[in-house]
Amino acid sequence: MSASAAAADAAPRPAMGFFERFLTLWVALCMAAGVILGQLAPDVFRALGGATVVQVNLPVAILVWLMIVPMLLKIDPAALREVGQHWRGISATLGVNWLVKPFSMALLGWLFVGHLFRPWLPAAQVDSYIAGLILLAAAPCTAMVFVWSNLVDGEPHFTLSQVALNDTIMVVAFAPLVGLLLGLSAIVVPWDTLFLSVLLYIVVPVAAAQLWRRALIARGGQGALSRVLSRLAPLSLAALLLTLVLLFGLQGEQIIAQPGVIALLAVPIVIQVYLNAGLAYAANRAMGEAWCVAGPSALIGASNFFELAVATAIVLFGFQSGAALATVVGVLVEVPVMLTVVWLVRRTRPWYERA
């Protein structure tokens, strides 16, 4: 057994804590708080929205780092050595994450937002909404998947190696993939800003998290890393919720004027979660992979790196853009929808294993 596998066996399996379990409720409360505070103190939110350097909003940059660095600390690059042990599950997940999900979301965005729902959406924001949906689907989740995997009794070594591999691919594939899909959607791509967001929100945090991880393990072993992660977990969620307060504080007027927009944007997001989870689950079954790998594979295939999507949408299109709103809707609906996927995966285990 490799060192990373032994560490995964020794570490306690993650459980969904109080804040994670009710994340949708906290997101909804922060959205409401942001709208109310935005009406009560509009000048404060305008000042925060205008605090930018080289197209980067400094308050958001700080909050995003606080969100994602603790999550990236969990990733062990040594897990990449174990990819070959679960090649069927890895190939199914990679196919859905990188070859299906971004393109299916672009198609669903074009179909629902660009055509079916267009009469009920503000015309000036339609392209921006589609861009936000594309950003949401262009990067696979790296944090909550550990919770989802635990809830379906997933193989921990597979989950760890899959997340490590996805992070490695994301460093080089996110910007070209987003640029391609935005270009196909006839949305002007500010390439310099896109690459800057990749540098700030992927490359630098990954490097910083890995240097910090090595230093912690060198000083105090896996126990020191676990203690730091337990202390940082509330900080990560708090940063996410503060980002939502800030975002909705700036978008409050638009939301009050058109609350139905959020419901309409949720439709393609919900469809793509079930579509991609089902594809990954069925592909694993067809290839003869074990259920304990197929479960987390389906959940990783369906979930999104919404922290990165929100930050990139703000950098590319601004706080008050439709793209930023679309990515936040993804945060709102992902947790309850993913919990239903967990329930379906567990309920269908007898059917899966009959194959």
Side-chain angles (χ1 to χ4, degrees):
M1 181 181 293
S2 69
S4 57
D9 277 337
R13 300 186 67 189
M16 181 173 279
F18 177 75
F19 281 103
E20 291 90 345
R21 187 180 301 275
F22 297 102
L23 182 58
T24 298
L25 173 61
W26 312 138
V27 167
L29 290 175
C30 287
M31 290 167 59
V35 171
I36 294 169
L37 292 173
Q39 301 302 303
L40 296 176
D43 293 340
V44 173
F45 282 88
R46 290 194 196 101
L48 291 171
T52 60
V53 175
V54 197
Q55 298 176 295
V56 175
N57 183 272
L58 295 180
V60 170
I62 293 169
L63 290 171
V64 168
W65 268 60
L66 291 175
M67 273 190 276
I68 64 177
V69 168
M71 299 171 185
L72 295 173
L73 270 176
K74 299 177 183 178
I75 307 304
D76 182 5
L80 289 171
R81 293 197 298 264
E82 298 164 10
V83 166
Q85 295 180 20
H86 305 288
W87 66 269
R88 295 179 182 86
I90 293 286
S91 60
T93 316
L94 288 179
V96 170
N97 276 157
W98 298 103
L99 300 179
V100 176
K101 186 170 69 172
F103 298 93
S104 65
M105 181 62 99
L107 178 61
L108 290 169
W110 172 82
L111 175 63
F112 284 96
V113 176
H115 290 79
L116 297 179
F117 296 160
R118 182 180 282 270
W120 297 285
L121 295 170
Q125 294 283 14
V126 167
D127 286 345
S128 188
Y129 292 143
I130 296 173
L133 295 176
I134 289 171
L135 288 170
L136 190 65
C141 184
T142 63
M144 287 294 287
V145 291
F146 291 105
V147 175
W148 307 138
S149 178
N150 180 60
L151 292 177
V152 295
D153 299 323
E155 162 57 50
H157 304 145
F158 165 76
T159 304
L160 190 64
S161 56
Q162 179 68 74
V163 171
L165 183 59
N166 273 340
D167 271 7
T168 304
I169 295 172
M170 194 158 37
V171 170
V172 296
F174 180 76
L177 184 60
V178 168
L180 170 65
L181 291 174
L182 292 182
L184 291 175
S185 299
I187 298 166
V188 177
V189 182
W191 283 100
D192 55 344
T193 308
L194 179 57
F195 281 117
L196 177 62
S197 67
V198 171
L199 178 66
L200 283 176
Y201 301 122
I202 301 179
V203 178
V204 175
V206 167
Q210 289 308 309
L211 289 173
W212 192 5
R213 179 188 173 90
R214 290 183 183 181
L216 287 169
I217 293 177
R219 267 203 320 266
Q222 193 71 31
L225 176 63
S226 298
R227 287 191 296 273
V228 170
L229 286 174
S230 65
R231 288 196 295 265
L232 290 178
L235 178 65
S236 181
L237 275 175
L240 169 63
L241 299 178
L242 285 174
T243 303
L244 298 180
V245 172
L246 186 57
L247 184 62
F248 276 83
L250 287 165
Q251 293 193 332
E253 292 182 5
Q254 177 185 342
I255 294 167
I256 291 173
Q258 295 174 315
V261 168
I262 291 176
L264 295 178
L265 292 176
V267 172
I269 296 172
V270 172
I271 291 174
Q272 73 94 21
V273 169
Y274 288 124
L275 170 66
N276 292 303
L279 285 174
Y281 197 52
N284 277 280
R285 188 174 190 264
M287 291 189 290
E289 185 57 270
W291 179 82
C292 63
V293 170
S297 173
L299 292 158
I300 297 170
S303 57
N304 304 307
F305 193 173
F306 51 72
E307 299 89 352
L308 174 64
V310 170
T312 306
I314 292 170
V315 172
L316 292 179
F317 302 101
F319 262 111
Q320 296 177 296
S321 66
L325 180 61
T327 57
V328 173
V329 174
V331 184
L332 179 64
V333 303
E334 175 156 328
V335 173
V337 174
M338 291 298 290
L339 285 173
T340 65
V341 176
V342 168
W343 181 84
L344 288 169
V345 168
R346 294 186 68 91
R347 291 284 294 179
T348 57
R349 181 173 184 173
W351 166 83
Y352 186 96
E353 293 186 337
R354 278 199 297 272

